Amino acid sequence: MSKDDLISLKDDMVAFIEGHGMQRLPGFVTEDVPTVLWDGKDNPDSWKDFVEMAKHAGAPFVTFSEVTLEHEELDALVEEANEMNYPDEEASELVEADWLRKYTGMLGYIQLGFVYQGVVFLHETTTEWYERYQALLEDIESFQDIVIDSHPDHDDVD
């Protein structure tokens, strides 16, 4: 299995979940609900333990979400990084965005989840490039927030 593309892992997860007689609910669990993140302790098969725990807890389904890096998303990110750093074409954000191009079309993130007694339990699997992509997105969003907040025409009064 490639460490850069989680597609074969996704196939294994789907087969394992269905093999346990559970359904997959396509859905992403956001940060605004009470959650507990599964600690896999660097065990690449910890997702299997997670699915077995969901089954043991009586969960009828497991939420399943995935993220593939799309060309359009990366192009938009490059454009934002370019605007943020113009005229510096060697800015770290642009270099990082260009480095990410080789991962377009690859699956970089999978989130599994189940609900038990009002709490969502999550298991996340990511690639290194996806984590770098997320960090770049956050950096650009933070910069845009600073620019918007410091704009002289910005009015905070409702």
Side-chain angles (χ1 to χ4, degrees), residues 39-109:
D39 184 0
K41 302 243 190 259
D42 298 324
N43 174 4
D45 289 332
S46 67
W47 63 269
K48 292 178 182 176
D49 297 333
F50 180 84
V51 171
E52 290 172 348
M53 180 66 71
K55 174 95 175 173
H56 179 74
F61 61 85
V62 174
T63 62
F64 195 99
S65 180
E66 61 188 85
V67 177
T68 299
L69 184 59
E70 302 293 337
H71 287 283
E72 298 80 19
E73 292 171 346
L74 189 56
D75 288 346
L77 184 64
V78 168
E79 185 176 318
E80 290 174 15
N82 201 9
E83 289 173 7
M84 182 173 102
N85 291 292
Y86 184 79
D88 183 6
E89 295 178 3
E90 299 297 318
S92 62
E93 292 86 3
L94 288 169
V95 171
E96 187 79 359
D98 279 339
W99 175 82
L100 286 166
R101 288 205 183 276
K102 63 185 169 188
Y103 299 105
T104 55
M106 291 188 184
L107 181 61
Y109 173 82

Side-chain angles (χ1 to χ4, degrees), residues 23-44:
Q23 299 293 312
R24 286 176 296 120
L25 173 75
F28 178 76
V29 178
T30 61
E31 296 176 0
D32 58 345
V33 296
T35 60
V36 174
L37 188 60
W38 185 272
D39 184 0
K41 302 243 190 259
D42 298 324
N43 174 4

